[in-house]
Amino acid sequence: MNIIAVIPARKGSKSIKNKNIIKINKKSLIEYTFTEVKKSILKKSFILTDSKNTKRIAKKYKIDCSYIRPKKLSQDKTSLLDNLTHFYKWLNIEKINFDYLLILQPTSPARSFIDINSVIKILKKTKPDSLFSVNSSTEHPYESIKLKKHNWSYVLPKAKKFYRRQDFDFNSFFINGAIYAIHKKTLENKKLIGKKHIVYKMPKIRSFDIDDYEDIEIIKKILK
């Protein structure tokens, strides 16, 4: 089975300027992903970026930089599917064969090579159409509310029946964005999630995702 790592890392970012190369404990954010990829059993990895600085760092870790991400696919509204579809066409042109794309977003720096290797083993054993990583929710949906000025209501009306977490009638998980896996045939159908879709459960400590500067201060302590 041929599995290719894909690291999408466009240059622009609204929430954090130069997010992918911002320093966290004297190391660029994206380097945490590069480091774990090189520790893993993956043989081939590509960076999908429009940033020269990101490519310069990627080359140090021997990440393939030959794919050129066009400007039209490096915008705020560019979807992951659009970028992967373009990359898939490029792979066909270059005659690079694969069974799965394993997407590793740089905003999950605590994700370990252990997680990457575990997902690869799962793909080889179960052969799903797609996969994404999850972790147990810090806040259960029953504890979520909607606010409109001074008025509030539960997001899930059934929450009125529960007052203790141990009484909740289902377990809740969060799609953490750390790992996605997509089979070639799923991508051919221009989808990220196929009919036979499975999940990979990650521990919370390795599931932290960076969205803003406050997150950066938290992840600095986690990575130490």
Side-chain angles (χ1 to χ4, degrees), residues 60-196:
K60 293 181 180 179
Y61 291 85
K62 297 182 180 180
I63 307 295
D64 196 310
C65 300
S66 52
Y67 169 76
I68 299 174
R69 182 169 177 166
K71 288 184 179 180
K72 67 178 182 179
L73 294 178
S74 302
Q75 308 302 315
D76 290 336
K77 294 183 179 180
T78 300
S79 70
L80 176 61
L81 180 58
D82 287 340
N83 197 191
L84 292 179
T85 300
H86 186 269
F87 178 63
Y88 169 67
K89 293 177 180 177
W90 179 84
L91 289 173
N92 285 337
I93 292 172
E94 296 296 316
K95 297 182 179 179
I96 300 173
N97 188 38
F98 73 98
D99 297 295
Y100 286 95
L101 295 184
L102 193 68
I103 296 89
L104 305 170
Q105 303 196 92
T107 50
S108 299
R111 172 198 51 232
S112 168
F113 75 94
I114 295 171
D115 299 306
I116 296 172
N117 288 347
S118 295
V119 167
I120 292 172
K121 290 177 182 177
I122 291 170
L123 294 178
K124 290 180 177 180
K125 183 177 180 180
T126 63
K127 298 179 175 60
D129 296 329
S130 55
L131 170 151
F132 55 53
S133 56
V134 302
N135 61 271
S136 56
S137 300
T138 303
E139 296 84 17
H140 194 281
Y142 281 156
E143 298 174 316
S144 298
I145 64 170
K146 293 180 285 186
L147 282 176
K148 189 174 182 180
K149 292 185 178 179
H150 298 295
N151 299 317
W152 71 276
S153 62
Y154 287 111
V155 171
L156 298 179
K158 193 178 177 182
K160 297 176 183 178
K161 299 180 179 180
F162 301 97
Y163 294 96
R164 302 189 310 164
R165 180 176 277 258
Q166 56 264 43
D167 295 332
F168 293 163
D169 59 353
F170 69 91
N171 294 321
S172 174
F173 293 86
F174 178 76
I175 302 171
N176 61 24
I179 303 175
Y180 291 87
I182 306 170
H183 193 275
K184 179 168 60 176
K185 65 181 181 182
T186 304
L187 204 52
E188 285 173 352
N189 292 325
K190 296 184 178 180
K191 293 181 179 180
L192 292 178
I193 297 178
K195 290 182 179 180
K196 184 183 177 183

